[in-house]
Amino acid sequence: MTMQSQIKPGMPVKCADGMDHGQVDGVDGEYIKLSGGDSAQPHWLPMSAVDHVDQHVHLNLGHEQVHQEWLSEDPHPEHRQ
């Protein structure tokens, strides 16, 4: 089972520092779309930021790194209107 297939909508996302960063809205290609957390705006993180998956999605980034790395706009131009 690949890491991508283990990630399900609604799973909590935690950074390497153990802080919550919202929930998975879905896997979108090579990105995880997050909802909730620090703001109501969705964010996208690359799959490369995922360290492992159990009942949570654990990131290999610290709290500040997450905020620097996440995208506030859909990374897929074809999804934008």
Side-chain angles (χ1 to χ4, degrees):
M1 184 182 276
T2 67
M3 220 175 337
Q4 276 181 307
S5 66
Q6 293 177 293
I7 299 172
K8 304 293 182 209
M11 292 181 84
V13 178
K14 292 189 174 282
C15 68
D17 301 327
M19 299 178 78
D20 291 322
H21 285 277
Q23 294 183 339
V24 174
D25 188 50
V27 175
D28 190 7
E30 289 297 314
Y31 290 87
I32 302 170
K33 183 178 179 184
L34 307 179
S35 59
D38 293 344
S39 72
Q41 179 180 356
H43 293 94
W44 289 261
L45 280 171
M47 284 298 298
S48 61
V50 177
D51 182 67
H52 66 281
V53 179
D54 50 24
Q55 68 271 25
H56 301 92
V57 176
H58 297 270
L59 304 176
N60 56 24
L61 303 172
H63 181 74
E64 291 302 319
Q65 290 174 297
V66 170
H67 289 276
Q68 292 170 3
E69 295 290 323
W70 70 14
L71 304 173
S72 296
E73 185 174 273
D74 190 330
H76 303 95
E78 66 273 15
H79 295 172
R80 296 184 215 141
Q81 295 198 21

